[in-house]
CSV table of all heavy atoms in Angstrom, one decimal:
chain,number,residue,atom,x,y,z
A,1,PRO,N,-42.8,-81.1,13.6
A,1,PRO,CA,-42.4,-82.5,13.6
A,1,PRO,C,-41.0,-82.6,14.3
A,1,PRO,O,-40.1,-81.8,14.2
A,1,PRO,CB,-42.3,-82.8,12.1
A,1,PRO,CG,-42.0,-81.4,11.5
A,1,PRO,CD,-42.7,-80.4,12.3
A,2,ILE,N,-40.8,-83.8,15.0
A,2,ILE,CA,-39.6,-84.0,15.7
A,2,ILE,C,-39.1,-85.4,15.4
A,2,ILE,O,-39.9,-86.4,15.3
A,2,ILE,CB,-39.9,-83.9,17.2
A,2,ILE,CG1,-40.4,-82.5,17.6
A,2,ILE,CG2,-38.6,-84.2,18.0
A,2,ILE,CD1,-40.9,-82.5,19.0
A,3,THR,N,-37.8,-85.6,15.2
A,3,THR,CA,-37.2,-86.9,14.9
A,3,THR,C,-36.8,-87.6,16.2
A,3,THR,O,-36.2,-86.9,17.1
A,3,THR,CB,-36.0,-86.7,14.1
A,3,THR,OG1,-36.3,-86.1,12.8
A,3,THR,CG2,-35.3,-88.1,13.8
A,4,ALA,N,-37.2,-88.8,16.4
A,4,ALA,CA,-37.0,-89.5,17.6
A,4,ALA,C,-35.5,-89.8,17.8
A,4,ALA,O,-34.7,-90.0,16.8
A,4,ALA,CB,-37.7,-90.9,17.6
A,5,THR,N,-35.0,-89.8,19.0
A,5,THR,CA,-33.7,-90.2,19.4
A,5,THR,C,-33.7,-91.6,20.0
A,5,THR,O,-34.7,-92.1,20.3
A,5,THR,CB,-33.1,-89.2,20.4
A,5,THR,OG1,-33.8,-89.3,21.6
A,5,THR,CG2,-33.1,-87.7,19.9
A,6,THR,N,-32.5,-92.1,20.1
A,6,THR,CA,-32.4,-93.5,20.7
A,6,THR,C,-32.9,-93.4,22.1
A,6,THR,O,-33.6,-94.3,22.6
A,6,THR,CB,-30.9,-93.9,20.7
A,6,THR,OG1,-30.5,-94.0,19.4
A,6,THR,CG2,-30.8,-95.3,21.4
A,7,ALA,N,-32.6,-92.3,22.9
A,7,ALA,CA,-33.1,-92.2,24.2
A,7,ALA,C,-34.6,-92.1,24.3
A,7,ALA,O,-35.2,-92.7,25.2
A,7,ALA,CB,-32.4,-91.0,24.9
A,8,PHE,N,-35.2,-91.4,23.4
A,8,PHE,CA,-36.6,-91.3,23.4
A,8,PHE,C,-37.3,-92.6,23.1
A,8,PHE,O,-38.2,-93.0,23.7
A,8,PHE,CB,-37.1,-90.3,22.3
A,8,PHE,CG,-38.6,-90.1,22.2
A,8,PHE,CD1,-39.2,-89.3,23.1
A,8,PHE,CD2,-39.3,-90.8,21.3
A,8,PHE,CE1,-40.6,-89.1,23.1
A,8,PHE,CE2,-40.7,-90.7,21.2
A,8,PHE,CZ,-41.4,-89.8,22.1
A,9,ASN,N,-36.7,-93.4,22.1
A,9,ASN,CA,-37.2,-94.7,21.8
A,9,ASN,C,-37.1,-95.6,23.0
A,9,ASN,O,-38.0,-96.5,23.2
A,9,ASN,CB,-36.5,-95.3,20.6
A,9,ASN,CG,-36.9,-94.6,19.3
A,9,ASN,OD1,-38.0,-94.1,19.2
A,9,ASN,ND2,-36.0,-94.6,18.4
A,10,ARG,N,-36.1,-95.4,23.9
A,10,ARG,CA,-36.0,-96.2,25.1
A,10,ARG,C,-37.1,-96.0,26.0
A,10,ARG,O,-37.5,-96.9,26.8
A,10,ARG,CB,-34.6,-95.9,25.7
A,10,ARG,CG,-34.1,-96.9,26.7
A,10,ARG,CD,-32.7,-96.6,27.2
A,10,ARG,NE,-31.8,-96.7,26.2
A,10,ARG,CZ,-30.9,-95.8,25.8
A,10,ARG,NH1,-31.0,-94.6,26.4
A,10,ARG,NH2,-30.1,-96.0,24.8
A,11,VAL,N,-37.6,-94.7,26.1
A,11,VAL,CA,-38.7,-94.4,26.9
A,11,VAL,C,-40.0,-95.2,26.5
A,11,VAL,O,-40.7,-95.8,27.3
A,11,VAL,CB,-39.1,-92.9,26.9
A,11,VAL,CG1,-40.3,-92.6,27.7
A,11,VAL,CG2,-37.9,-92.1,27.4
A,12,LEU,N,-40.2,-95.3,25.2
A,12,LEU,CA,-41.3,-96.0,24.6
A,12,LEU,C,-41.2,-97.5,24.8
A,12,LEU,O,-42.2,-98.3,24.8
A,12,LEU,CB,-41.5,-95.7,23.2
A,12,LEU,CG,-42.0,-94.2,22.9
A,12,LEU,CD1,-42.1,-94.0,21.4
A,12,LEU,CD2,-43.4,-93.9,23.5
A,13,SER,N,-40.0,-98.0,24.9
A,13,SER,CA,-39.8,-99.5,24.9
A,13,SER,C,-39.7,-100.0,26.4
A,13,SER,O,-39.8,-101.2,26.6
A,13,SER,CB,-38.5,-99.8,24.2
A,13,SER,OG,-37.3,-99.3,24.9
A,14,GLU,N,-39.7,-99.1,27.4
A,14,GLU,CA,-39.7,-99.6,28.8
A,14,GLU,C,-41.1,-100.3,29.1
A,14,GLU,O,-42.1,-99.7,28.9
A,14,GLU,CB,-39.5,-98.4,29.7
A,14,GLU,CG,-39.6,-98.8,31.2
A,14,GLU,CD,-38.4,-99.6,31.7
A,14,GLU,OE1,-37.4,-99.8,30.9
A,14,GLU,OE2,-38.5,-100.1,32.8
A,15,GLY,N,-41.0,-101.5,29.5
A,15,GLY,CA,-42.2,-102.3,29.8
A,15,GLY,C,-43.0,-101.8,31.0
A,15,GLY,O,-42.4,-101.1,31.9
A,16,SER,N,-44.2,-102.3,31.2
A,16,SER,CA,-45.0,-101.9,32.3
A,16,SER,C,-44.5,-102.6,33.6
A,16,SER,O,-44.7,-102.1,34.7
A,16,SER,CB,-46.5,-102.2,32.1
A,16,SER,OG,-46.6,-103.6,32.1
A,17,GLY,N,-43.9,-103.7,33.5
A,17,GLY,CA,-43.4,-104.4,34.6
A,17,GLY,C,-44.4,-105.0,35.6
A,17,GLY,O,-44.1,-105.1,36.8
A,18,SER,N,-45.6,-105.3,35.1
A,18,SER,CA,-46.6,-105.8,36.0
A,18,SER,C,-46.2,-107.1,36.7
A,18,SER,O,-46.6,-107.3,37.8
A,18,SER,CB,-47.9,-106.0,35.2
A,18,SER,OG,-47.8,-106.8,34.1
A,19,THR,N,-45.4,-107.9,36.0
A,19,THR,CA,-44.9,-109.1,36.7
A,19,THR,C,-44.1,-108.8,37.9
A,19,THR,O,-44.2,-109.4,39.0
A,19,THR,CB,-44.1,-109.9,35.7
A,19,THR,OG1,-45.0,-110.4,34.6
A,19,THR,CG2,-43.5,-111.1,36.4
A,20,ASN,N,-43.2,-107.8,37.8
A,20,ASN,CA,-42.3,-107.4,38.9
A,20,ASN,C,-43.0,-106.8,40.1
A,20,ASN,O,-42.6,-107.0,41.2
A,20,ASN,CB,-41.2,-106.5,38.4
A,20,ASN,CG,-40.3,-107.2,37.5
A,20,ASN,OD1,-39.9,-108.3,37.7
A,20,ASN,ND2,-39.8,-106.4,36.5
A,21,GLU,N,-44.1,-106.0,39.8
A,21,GLU,CA,-44.7,-105.3,40.9
A,21,GLU,C,-46.0,-105.9,41.5
A,21,GLU,O,-46.4,-105.6,42.6
A,21,GLU,CB,-45.1,-103.9,40.5
A,21,GLU,CG,-46.2,-103.8,39.4
A,21,GLU,CD,-46.4,-102.4,38.9
A,21,GLU,OE1,-45.8,-101.4,39.5
A,21,GLU,OE2,-47.2,-102.3,37.9
A,22,PHE,N,-46.6,-106.9,40.8
A,22,PHE,CA,-47.9,-107.4,41.2
A,22,PHE,C,-47.9,-108.0,42.6
A,22,PHE,O,-48.8,-107.6,43.4
A,22,PHE,CB,-48.4,-108.4,40.1
A,22,PHE,CG,-49.8,-108.8,40.3
A,22,PHE,CD1,-50.8,-108.1,39.7
A,22,PHE,CD2,-50.2,-109.9,41.1
A,22,PHE,CE1,-52.1,-108.5,39.8
A,22,PHE,CE2,-51.5,-110.3,41.3
A,22,PHE,CZ,-52.5,-109.5,40.6
A,23,LYS,N,-47.0,-108.9,42.9
A,23,LYS,CA,-47.0,-109.6,44.2
A,23,LYS,C,-46.8,-108.6,45.3
A,23,LYS,O,-47.5,-108.6,46.3
A,23,LYS,CB,-45.9,-110.7,44.2
A,23,LYS,CG,-45.9,-111.4,45.5
A,23,LYS,CD,-44.8,-112.5,45.4
A,23,LYS,CE,-44.7,-113.2,46.8
A,23,LYS,NZ,-43.6,-114.3,46.7
A,24,HIS,N,-45.8,-107.7,45.1
A,24,HIS,CA,-45.5,-106.7,46.2
A,24,HIS,C,-46.7,-105.8,46.4
A,24,HIS,O,-47.1,-105.6,47.6
A,24,HIS,CB,-44.3,-105.8,45.7
A,24,HIS,CG,-44.0,-104.7,46.6
A,24,HIS,ND1,-44.6,-103.5,46.5
A,24,HIS,CD2,-43.1,-104.6,47.6
A,24,HIS,CE1,-44.2,-102.7,47.4
A,24,HIS,NE2,-43.3,-103.3,48.1
A,25,ASP,N,-47.3,-105.3,45.4
A,25,ASP,CA,-48.4,-104.4,45.6
A,25,ASP,C,-49.7,-105.1,46.1
A,25,ASP,O,-50.4,-104.5,46.9
A,25,ASP,CB,-48.8,-103.7,44.2
A,25,ASP,CG,-47.7,-102.7,43.8
A,25,ASP,OD1,-46.8,-102.5,44.6
A,25,ASP,OD2,-47.8,-102.1,42.7
A,26,LEU,N,-49.9,-106.3,45.7
A,26,LEU,CA,-51.0,-107.1,46.2
A,26,LEU,C,-50.8,-107.3,47.7
A,26,LEU,O,-51.8,-107.1,48.5
A,26,LEU,CB,-51.1,-108.4,45.5
A,26,LEU,CG,-52.2,-109.4,46.0
A,26,LEU,CD1,-53.6,-108.7,45.8
A,26,LEU,CD2,-52.2,-110.7,45.4
A,27,ASP,N,-49.6,-107.7,48.1
A,27,ASP,CA,-49.4,-108.0,49.5
A,27,ASP,C,-49.6,-106.7,50.4
A,27,ASP,O,-50.1,-106.8,51.5
A,27,ASP,CB,-47.9,-108.5,49.7
A,27,ASP,CG,-47.8,-109.9,49.3
A,27,ASP,OD1,-48.8,-110.6,49.0
A,27,ASP,OD2,-46.6,-110.4,49.1
A,28,GLU,N,-49.2,-105.6,49.8
A,28,GLU,CA,-49.3,-104.3,50.5
A,28,GLU,C,-50.8,-103.9,50.7
A,28,GLU,O,-51.2,-103.5,51.7
A,28,GLU,CB,-48.6,-103.2,49.8
A,28,GLU,CG,-48.5,-101.9,50.6
A,28,GLU,CD,-47.5,-100.9,49.9
A,28,GLU,OE1,-48.0,-100.2,49.0
A,28,GLU,OE2,-46.4,-100.9,50.3
A,29,TYR,N,-51.5,-104.2,49.6
A,29,TYR,CA,-53.0,-103.9,49.6
A,29,TYR,C,-53.7,-104.8,50.7
A,29,TYR,O,-54.5,-104.3,51.4
A,29,TYR,CB,-53.6,-104.1,48.3
A,29,TYR,CG,-55.1,-104.0,48.3
A,29,TYR,CD1,-55.7,-102.8,48.3
A,29,TYR,CD2,-55.9,-105.1,48.3
A,29,TYR,CE1,-57.1,-102.7,48.3
A,29,TYR,CE2,-57.3,-105.1,48.4
A,29,TYR,CZ,-57.9,-103.8,48.4
A,29,TYR,OH,-59.2,-103.7,48.4
A,30,VAL,N,-53.4,-106.0,50.6
A,30,VAL,CA,-54.0,-107.0,51.6
A,30,VAL,C,-53.7,-106.6,53.0
A,30,VAL,O,-54.6,-106.6,53.9
A,30,VAL,CB,-53.5,-108.4,51.3
A,30,VAL,CG1,-53.9,-109.3,52.5
A,30,VAL,CG2,-54.0,-108.9,50.0
A,31,ALA,N,-52.4,-106.2,53.3
A,31,ALA,CA,-52.1,-105.8,54.7
A,31,ALA,C,-52.8,-104.6,55.2
A,31,ALA,O,-53.1,-104.5,56.4
A,31,ALA,CB,-50.5,-105.6,54.7
A,32,LYS,N,-53.0,-103.6,54.3
A,32,LYS,CA,-53.5,-102.3,54.7
A,32,LYS,C,-55.0,-102.2,54.5
A,32,LYS,O,-55.7,-101.4,55.2
A,32,LYS,CB,-52.8,-101.2,53.9
A,32,LYS,CG,-51.3,-101.1,54.3
A,32,LYS,CD,-50.7,-99.9,53.5
A,32,LYS,CE,-49.2,-99.8,53.9
A,32,LYS,NZ,-48.6,-98.6,53.1
A,33,HIS,N,-55.6,-102.9,53.5
A,33,HIS,CA,-57.0,-102.5,53.1
A,33,HIS,C,-58.0,-103.7,53.1
A,33,HIS,O,-59.2,-103.5,53.2
A,33,HIS,CB,-57.0,-101.8,51.8
A,33,HIS,CG,-56.1,-100.6,51.7
A,33,HIS,ND1,-56.4,-99.4,52.4
A,33,HIS,CD2,-54.9,-100.4,51.1
A,33,HIS,CE1,-55.4,-98.5,52.2
A,33,HIS,NE2,-54.6,-99.1,51.4
A,34,LEU,N,-57.5,-104.9,52.8
A,34,LEU,CA,-58.5,-106.0,52.6
A,34,LEU,C,-59.2,-106.4,53.8
A,34,LEU,O,-58.7,-106.5,54.9
A,34,LEU,CB,-57.7,-107.2,52.0
A,34,LEU,CG,-58.6,-108.3,51.5
A,34,LEU,CD1,-59.4,-107.9,50.3
A,34,LEU,CD2,-57.7,-109.5,51.1
A,35,ASP,N,-60.5,-106.6,53.7
A,35,ASP,CA,-61.4,-107.0,54.8
A,35,ASP,C,-60.8,-108.3,55.4
A,35,ASP,O,-60.5,-109.3,54.7
A,35,ASP,CB,-62.8,-107.3,54.2
A,35,ASP,CG,-63.8,-107.5,55.3
A,35,ASP,OD1,-63.6,-108.5,56.1
A,35,ASP,OD2,-64.8,-106.7,55.4
């Protein structure tokens, strides 16, 4: 058993950030791969 540290809890609390990356990644996909 291990006790969590504040730094470890910060790892678990970091969001996926899909809002921040969605437009960028979509534009990149369209430019390189979309029919």
